[in-house]
């Protein structure tokens, strides 16, 4: 905008521009030229701007009416569009300042809501042609929605933000339709004056980012393409808009920087700087130039030119001092920290990491959560969860590498708290899993740091072993806990009846809301209010007894502590003939070390072992022979010694953490999801000869399942066999079991998918002898080949099995799954456990028909004698081994879930 244009704009818009920037921007700068007053460093910029708005006579006292609902409603009932246009810009500025400058999301939400009410107060037929600025009612509502989405993103509520952005897109589309209907082709006046291109590109860029965080990669790609539709540089009458051209050049440069082509990247960055320096009268030139200098600095850093990079970063900071949001300065500080990390002789990386974190923080009260202490002693809390995440992750990594373990552990705790906050903001299972997988590495880092600290702390380190257990459980299979938290559970008797009824009604309302096909801005206030009511109800329930606290922990999907697991195991030992059990969490700490965290019924603290195991080598070995590769036959015939050699380092620590005869409940990690650890040689015999082995996705799942409401099975047993007519041994197996249990067998054409689904919902034990298919690209498409169709894991996931104690899938590769970064196994086993099965017996590879029939007969015979499931499988497998020693014939079945 030229010097002549601004007065004309002021005349057209009145005092639209509000108070001068100098009246409320920070004016205290550090020696390096950067803003010395990050959010929370003294005084509220939002309060200062609001005070100026209250004093401005052009606003006609509106800002004094806002807190009086009756006065505000009366004012909005008689809207004056020119006055609305003036006020909506002011309220937008106030909301922006509270959000970006002060990190005061509560105030930002309040003023965004006021902005929305102003936007909705425009007449329904108010078009861009009626507006001095060129924005119609729909565009105003869309912009208010984008501000509301900003507020939710700050808090990590990604699903809420995404829905608001989708609604904004619909209003942008409506505005475009109005413009077309009224033949309005000229760009809005405000966009021409400010030389900007509108908000579509920003909208689609943000939709791409939120979709990616929620695990919808196809939507992310679609929105990313839309954000660049028509080429990287938008033009007005064939003339490039400076800011857009600069951003496009920087985007291209960063692409070449990512491709390790810094020379090409620098050429694009230099062109961006040249354009910025020739646009001295254009608005936003300082921001554009700063952006270009920052990009050039990153390129010089990649080339090893640390001093040049720092000089360019200084220039970038000086250009934007006090003029832009904290986000840009945060990025500059992060780049400085990275330079100092590589060149500690030039400066302190930690100082600049913490400065950048200040811009994602706000002043904290002593009882606030997610707090940290700045270098000057101020107590701050994380106020922008999503923006703080990468900073916390990087500063913790730096501290860990510098062996400042206690400081690293503090920041990693903060990072996991932020990750949990963002995860809770995801709405459904898919998006929560995406968030969990994206942030899984921070839990591994925290567990690693806690174990390192424990090793150095002697007796005091025992508590850190316990904390490491909780960290690992927080990572593992969280979607299982989410599903359990929403399922039918047995409410402890000590909980007052009225509270139980209130909870049941609220949970039902939540299920109804979650099932709605679409969500708009009106949905989220209802959902948030319901969540608050549930939280209050659970707090009241938890105050009843320790059993009620445990119940609430399951409802809220909180991971189970080691002490609760120990108490569970001790209780089972006291009331069962199955003997002792030890639960062992496995976790790769890095590429060379595998940690074993064990809890038994008599353990006051977690016991830990760490073994040297080459993760990459083990992963290659397992991928080549197990899982979907299914080359176990060749391994068993020609290379059995190699199998024992590769897995010996895993089994030896397991044996050290338990006594002979103990049931070992393994929570696998990475490639070990696909390996029969019981078949590995230990000493003079295989490990299974020493201990029964069971697998579970997490200890918390076992603990939580105790509260699941169980129904009495309408049918004790259901048997299915040979649906495709080409498995004679499977047919005999099913007929023998049906005769043993005195139930009808569903053989051949009678073994349909619907019949299996019905049995899962009514029987206590279901046995299926059939072919199975595993789909590596889509594990939930894996399924059982029944007479009429493939019964997929995705279908089974929707089943309800409240009485199901045991499912046996006597078929090939039914236990093959894909485990994601949070150790959530995806496949048939996961589907059955989700549906409610207490235990699932599945195969890790194609076991010969005759061997399977012999093993199943032995397994069920042992169960008939009252033997526990894990011990029954152990005895049956060892008996089969006595007849045929090749491990591919006897070791292919694994028990998942309950072992008693």
């Amino acid at each position: 905008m030229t010097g002549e244009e601004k007065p004309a704009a002021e005349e057209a818009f009145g005092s639209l521009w509000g108070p001068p920037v100098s009246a409320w921007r920070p004016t205290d700068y550090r020696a390096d030229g950067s803003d010395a007053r990050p959010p929370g460093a003294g005084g509220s910029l939002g309060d200062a701007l609001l005070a100026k708005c209250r004093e401005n006579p052009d606003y006609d006292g509106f800002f004094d009416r806002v807190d009086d609902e009756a006065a505000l409603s009366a004012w909005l009932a008689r809207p004056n569009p020119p006055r609305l246009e003036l006020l909506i810009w002011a309220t937008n500025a106030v909301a922006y300042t509270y959000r970006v400058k002060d990190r005061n999301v509560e105030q930002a939400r309040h003023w965004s809501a006021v902005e929305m009410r102003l936007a909705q107060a425009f007449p329904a037929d108010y078009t861009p042609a009626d507006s001095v600025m060129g924005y119609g009612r729909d565009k105003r509502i869309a912009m208010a929605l984008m501000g509301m989405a900003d507020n939710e993103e700050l808090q990590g509520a990604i699903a809420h933000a995404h829905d608001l952005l989708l609604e904004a897109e619909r209003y942008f589309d409506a505005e475009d339709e109005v413009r077309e209907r009224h033949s309005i082709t000229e760009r809005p006046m405000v966009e021409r004056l400010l030389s900007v291109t509108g908000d579509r590109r920003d909208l689609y860029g943000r939709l791409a980012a939120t979709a990616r965080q929620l695990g919808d990669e196809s939507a992310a790609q679609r929105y990313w393409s839309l954000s660049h539709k028509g080429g990287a540089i938008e033009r007005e009458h064939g003339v490039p808009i400076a800011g857009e051209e600069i951003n496009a050049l920087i985007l291209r440069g960063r692409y070449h920087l990512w491709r390790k082509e810094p020379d090409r990247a620098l050429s694009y960055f230099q062109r961006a700087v040249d354009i910025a320096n020739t646009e001295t009268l254009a608005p936003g030139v300082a921001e554009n130039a700063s952006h270009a200098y920052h990009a050039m600095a990153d390129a010089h850093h990649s080339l090893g030119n640390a001093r040049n990079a720092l000089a360019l970063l200084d220039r970038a900071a000086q250009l934007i001092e006090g003029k832009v949001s904290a986000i840009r300065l945060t990025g500059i500080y992060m780049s400085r920290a990275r330079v100092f990390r590589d060149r500690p002789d030039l400066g302190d990386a930690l100082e600049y990491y913490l400065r950048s974190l200040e811009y994602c923080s706000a002043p904290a009260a002593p009882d606030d959560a997610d707090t940290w202490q700045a270098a000057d002693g101020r107590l701050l809390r994380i106020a922008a969860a999503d923006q703080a995440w990468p900073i916390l992750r990087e500063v913790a990594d730096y501290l860990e590498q510098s062996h400042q373990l206690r400081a690293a552990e503090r920041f990693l705790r903060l990072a996991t708290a932020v990750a949990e906050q963002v995860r809770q903001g995801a709405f459904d299972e898919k998006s929560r899993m995406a968030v969990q997988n994206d942030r899984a590495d921070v839990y591994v880092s925290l567990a690693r740091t806690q174990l390192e600290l424990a090793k150095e702390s002697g007796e005091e380190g025992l508590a850190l072993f316990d904390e490491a257990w909780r960290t690992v459980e927080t990572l593992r299979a969280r979607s299982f806990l989410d599903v359990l938290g929403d399922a039918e559970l047995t409410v402890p008797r000590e909980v007052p009846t009225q509270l139980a009824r209130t909870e049941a009604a609220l949970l039902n309302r939540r299920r109804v809301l979650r099932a709605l096909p679409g969500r708009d801005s009106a949905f989220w206030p209802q959902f948030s209010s319901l969540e608050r009511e549930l939280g209050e109800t659970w707090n009241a329930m938890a105050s009843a007894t320790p059993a009620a606290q445990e119940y609430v922990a399951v409802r809220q999907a909180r991971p189970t502590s080691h002490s609760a697991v120990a108490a569970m195991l001790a209780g089972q030992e006291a009331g069962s003939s199955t003997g002792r059990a030890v639960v062992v969490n496995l976790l790769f700490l890095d590429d060379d070390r595998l940690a074993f965290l064990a809890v038994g019924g008599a353990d006051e603290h977690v016991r830990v072992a760490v073994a040297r195991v080459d993760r990459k080598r083990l992963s290659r070995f397992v991928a080549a022979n197990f899982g979907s590769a299914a080359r176990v036959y060749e391994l068993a015939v020609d290379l059995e010694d190699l199998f024992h050699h590769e897995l010996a380092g895993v089994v030896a620590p397991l044996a050290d953490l338990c006594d002979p005869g103990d049931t070992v409940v393994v929570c696998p990690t990475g490639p070990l999801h696909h390996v029969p650890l019981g078949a590995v040689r230990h000493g003079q015999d295989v490990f299974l000869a020493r201990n029964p082995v069971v697998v579970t996705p997490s200890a918390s799942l076992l603990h939580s399942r105790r509260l699941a409401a169980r129904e009495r099975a309408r049918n004790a047993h259901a048997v299915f066999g040979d649906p495709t007519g080409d498995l004679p041994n499977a047919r005999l197996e099913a007929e023998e079991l049906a005769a043993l249990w005195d139930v009808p067998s569903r053989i051949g054409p009678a073994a349909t998918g619907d019949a299996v689904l019905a049995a899962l919902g009514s029987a206590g034990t279901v046995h299926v002898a059939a072919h199975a298919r595993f789909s590596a690209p889509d594990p939930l498409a894996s399924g059982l080949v029944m007479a009429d169709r493939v019964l997929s894991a995705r279908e089974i996931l929707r089943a309800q099995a409240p009485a199901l104690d045991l499912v046996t899938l006597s078929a090939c590769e039914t236990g093959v799954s894909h485990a994601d970064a949070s150790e959530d196994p995806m496949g048939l086993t996961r589907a059955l456990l989700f549906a409610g099965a207490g235990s699932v017996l599945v195969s890790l590879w194609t076991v010969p028909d005759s061997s399977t029939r012999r093993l199943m007969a032995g397994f069920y015979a042992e169960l008939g004698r009252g033997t526990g499931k894990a011990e029954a499988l152990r005895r049956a497998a060892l008996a089969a081994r006595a007849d045929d020693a090749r491990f591919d014939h006897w070791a292919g079945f694994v028990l998942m879930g309950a072992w008693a």
Side-chain angles (χ1 to χ4, degrees):
M1 183 186 305
T2 66
E4 289 73 25
E5 286 173 329
K6 185 168 181 178
E10 288 180 343
E11 183 177 351
F13 302 153
S15 299
L16 163 67
W17 310 103
V21 172
S22 59
W24 53 272
R25 77 180 191 191
T27 55
D28 179 23
Y29 304 110
R30 292 189 171 96
D32 61 7
S34 59
D35 179 0
R37 287 181 46 185
S44 166
L45 298 174
D47 289 348
L49 177 58
L50 184 57
K52 292 292 182 182
C53 290
R54 291 185 191 280
E55 296 169 4
N56 194 320
D58 290 323
Y59 296 152
D60 195 26
F62 172 82
F63 287 89
D64 294 321
R65 294 187 178 93
V66 169
D67 296 328
D68 183 340
E69 178 58 34
L72 178 62
S73 297
W75 193 94
L76 292 172
R78 298 185 299 276
N80 180 316
R83 183 69 61 185
L84 285 174
E85 291 216 357
L86 182 64
L87 289 170
I88 204 166
W89 282 99
T91 52
N92 178 282
V94 171
Y96 175 87
T97 304
Y98 275 121
R99 177 171 61 247
V100 174
K101 299 288 187 179
D102 293 336
R103 299 300 192 204
N104 188 333
V105 179
E106 183 178 350
Q107 282 291 336
R109 279 177 168 158
H110 170 73
W111 288 103
S112 290
V114 174
E115 180 186 356
M116 175 60 81
R117 292 184 68 176
L118 287 168
Q120 292 170 333
F122 281 98
D125 58 354
Y126 190 76
T127 73
D130 301 319
S131 166
V132 175
M133 300 179 191
Y135 286 173
R137 181 178 187 270
D138 293 318
K139 179 69 173 281
R140 285 297 178 195
I141 293 175
M143 293 178 69
L145 286 165
M146 289 181 70
M148 294 166 71
D150 280 336
N151 299 330
E152 299 310 317
E153 279 190 85
L154 276 181
Q155 296 293 85
I158 305 302
H160 189 173
H162 187 72
D163 286 346
L164 289 167
L165 292 170
L166 288 174
E167 191 173 0
E169 181 186 23
R170 293 194 288 273
Y171 277 99
F172 276 126
D173 290 341
E175 177 90 350
D176 288 346
E177 290 173 7
V178 170
R179 292 176 64 87
E180 184 176 349
R181 190 164 60 248
H182 290 268
S183 302
I184 302 171
T185 58
E186 188 177 46
R187 286 175 59 219
M189 180 179 180
V190 68
E191 293 180 10
R192 286 183 283 117
L193 290 174
L194 297 177
S195 296
V196 296
T197 60
D199 299 279
R200 282 277 189 171
R201 175 171 292 186
D202 179 44
L203 171 71
Y204 289 133
R206 290 170 59 192
L207 277 168
T210 52
R212 183 165 287 113
Q213 289 187 74
L214 296 174
D216 192 343
E217 192 60 37
S218 62
Q221 290 292 338
R222 183 173 71 256
Y223 285 120
W224 181 253
S225 298
L226 285 171
S227 72
H228 293 75
K229 188 176 180 180
I233 303 171
E234 293 192 13
R235 296 172 178 267
E236 174 70 13
H237 303 301
V239 178
I241 299 168
E244 295 300 324
E245 188 166 12
I246 289 168
N247 287 333
L249 289 168
I250 291 171
L251 187 65
R252 292 171 183 169
R254 288 199 180 279
Y255 169 75
H256 289 292
L257 200 57
W258 172 75
R259 287 174 58 94
K260 310 295 184 186
E261 299 169 351
D263 290 337
R264 293 193 67 183
L266 276 172
S267 68
Y268 284 108
F269 297 151
Q270 186 60 58
R271 284 168 59 191
V273 169
D274 292 341
I275 292 171
N277 289 336
T278 60
E279 297 284 336
T280 55
L281 293 179
V285 62
E287 292 89 333
N288 292 330
S290 174
H291 192 191
Y293 279 118
H294 186 181
M296 286 185 71
D298 288 343
H300 277 278
H301 179 208
S302 72
L303 288 169
N305 301 329
R307 295 183 188 278
N308 285 354
L310 290 172
L312 288 163
L313 289 170
D314 286 343
R315 176 63 176 149
Q318 290 164 4
L319 282 166
I320 59 171
E321 53 187 29
K323 296 177 182 176
V324 297
S325 71
I327 298 172
R328 189 66 56 80
L329 281 173
T330 297
I332 292 172
Y333 281 150
M334 285 288 283
S335 290
R336 277 193 180 127
R338 290 165 185 153
V339 174
F340 291 144
R341 187 169 178 174
D342 291 340
R343 289 288 306 274
D345 56 309
L346 297 178
D348 182 4
L350 182 59
E351 175 189 352
Y352 282 90
Y353 277 131
L354 297 185
R355 284 193 190 184
S356 65
L357 190 59
E358 288 183 41
Y359 284 96
C360 302
S361 305
D367 57 346
D368 280 349
D370 303 340
T371 62
W372 63 285
Q373 193 169 46
D376 59 7
R378 285 176 297 128
L379 185 67
L380 302 176
R381 62 176 174 80
I382 299 299
D386 208 44
Q387 292 170 14
W389 163 257
I391 306 171
L392 287 167
R393 186 66 193 89
E394 198 164 323
V395 70
D397 180 67
Y398 168 74
L399 290 166
E400 187 182 0
Q401 286 191 1
S402 306
H403 206 69
Q404 301 178 58
L405 296 181
R406 294 200 178 276
E409 200 254 356
R410 286 196 298 273
F411 279 99
L412 284 165
R413 278 179 182 271
L414 193 55
T416 55
V418 167
E420 285 296 294
Q421 184 178 345
V422 174
R423 183 181 176 278
Q424 289 167 11
F427 186 76
D428 54 19
E429 179 194 349
K430 178 182 178 182
S431 57
R432 286 188 173 185
M433 289 177 69
V435 171
Q436 187 80 359
N437 287 328
D438 183 55
R439 306 188 177 208
D441 64 323
V442 75
Y443 295 95
V444 177
S445 296
L446 177 56
R448 180 174 61 237
T449 303
Q450 288 167 333
L451 293 177
E452 290 289 343
L453 277 171
K455 186 173 65 176
E456 298 176 358
S457 303
E459 287 295 321
E460 297 176 1
L462 293 175
L464 283 165
F465 285 151
D466 301 340
E467 288 298 323
W469 170 278
R470 185 181 289 275
T471 299
V472 174
E473 281 294 310
T474 305
L475 166 67
R476 283 186 173 280
R478 297 295 300 286
S479 57
F480 278 91
L481 301 186
D482 289 330
V483 169
L484 279 171
D486 200 46
E488 294 294 330
L489 300 180
T490 302
V491 181
R493 289 191 299 272
E494 302 89 344
V495 172
T497 303
Q498 186 55 48
L499 275 179
R501 288 174 179 168
T502 300
E503 183 211 33
L506 291 171
L507 286 170
N508 189 57
R509 280 174 53 197
R510 187 170 72 172
R511 293 184 191 109
V512 170
L513 276 178
R514 282 180 166 168
L516 291 175
R519 303 189 296 265
D520 57 19
S521 55
F523 167 88
W524 287 99
Q526 296 179 56
F527 189 76
S528 298
S529 175
L530 179 58
E531 289 284 276
R532 282 194 298 273
E533 288 185 69
L534 264 174
E536 292 167 1
T537 302
W538 284 331
N539 287 338
M541 295 174 86
S543 64
T545 63
Q549 291 179 11
E550 179 183 1
Y551 170 84
V552 170
V554 174
R555 278 291 183 213
Q556 296 178 330
R558 294 205 300 267
T560 304
S561 68
H562 76 286
S563 57
V565 172
M568 175 191 73
L569 296 176
Q572 286 186 334
E573 291 167 15
S576 172
S577 60
T578 56
R580 294 180 68 246
V582 178
V583 180
V584 188
N585 256 313
L586 274 58
L587 181 73
F588 274 104
L589 302 178
D590 48 41
D591 283 340
D592 300 309
R593 293 179 298 164
L594 179 62
F596 302 74
L597 289 78
V599 172
D603 290 332
E604 183 179 354
H605 294 286
V606 176
R607 293 175 290 121
V608 176
V610 178
R612 288 287 176 185
V613 176
D614 187 326
R615 174 169 54 182
K616 292 181 179 178
R617 174 172 171 163
L618 182 62
S619 296
R620 289 194 297 268
F621 172 76
V622 171
N625 297 285
F626 295 94
S628 57
R631 294 214 301 266
V632 184
Y633 169 81
E634 292 91 337
L635 190 68
V637 171
D638 299 323
L639 298 168
E640 184 175 350
D641 285 343
L642 177 63
F643 166 69
H644 296 304
H645 173 76
E646 293 293 336
L647 276 302
V650 177
V651 169
L654 282 177
D656 291 340
L657 291 166
C658 64
D659 294 330
D662 290 350
T663 298
V664 182
V665 185
V666 179
C667 307
T669 185
L672 295 174
H673 283 276
H674 308 297
V675 175
L677 293 175
V680 179
R681 188 182 299 125
H682 178 70
Q684 299 302 311
D685 209 337
V686 294
F687 186 54
L688 191 65
R690 182 182 187 271
N691 298 91
V693 179
V694 181
V695 173
T696 183
S698 72
S700 298
L701 175 64
L702 295 174
H703 182 260
S704 302
R705 272 285 165 79
R706 294 191 309 140
L707 292 176
R710 307 298 294 181
E711 295 180 3
R712 184 180 182 85
R714 297 195 298 275
N715 305 298
H717 306 285
V719 181
F720 302 85
D722 189 23
T724 51
D726 59 348
L727 295 171
N729 277 296
R731 179 180 291 262
L732 286 173
E733 178 186 314
E735 290 173 343
E736 289 171 357
L737 278 175
L740 174 68
W741 291 333
D742 193 22
V743 296
S745 59
R746 296 183 177 95
I747 304 295
T752 65
D754 288 341
V756 172
L757 287 174
L760 293 176
S762 62
T765 300
V766 174
H767 182 95
V768 182
H771 288 297
R773 293 177 183 171
F774 174 70
S775 171
D778 181 9
L780 289 181
S782 306
L784 297 167
V785 183
M786 306 310 295
D788 56 340
R789 68 180 191 277
V790 175
L791 178 60
S792 71
R794 192 167 277 110
E795 277 188 89
I796 295 172
L797 270 175
R798 296 191 289 268
Q800 297 292 321
L804 192 58
D805 178 59
L806 172 66
V807 178
T808 298
L809 302 183
S810 179
C812 53
E813 299 184 12
T814 50
V816 177
S817 62
H818 165 74
D820 58 22
S822 61
E823 308 296 356
D824 223 331
M826 305 291 288
L828 274 170
T829 305
R830 175 181 189 269
L832 287 163
L833 289 172
F834 260 44
S839 308
V840 183
L841 182 62
V842 290
S843 60
L844 296 177
W845 57 78
T846 302
V847 181
D849 265 8
S850 56
S851 300
T852 298
R853 182 183 167 203
R854 185 166 56 246
L855 188 144
M856 289 299 161
F859 173 66
Y860 285 115
E862 289 291 341
L863 289 182
R865 299 185 190 104
T867 308
K869 297 170 194 168
E871 178 62 19
L873 179 61
R874 185 182 81 91
R875 293 179 185 179
L878 293 176
R881 177 175 175 247
D883 293 337
D884 189 339
R886 264 181 38 196
F887 79 82
D888 62 317
H889 284 186
W890 63 266
F893 283 89
V894 62
L895 182 70
M896 295 193 71
W899 60 92

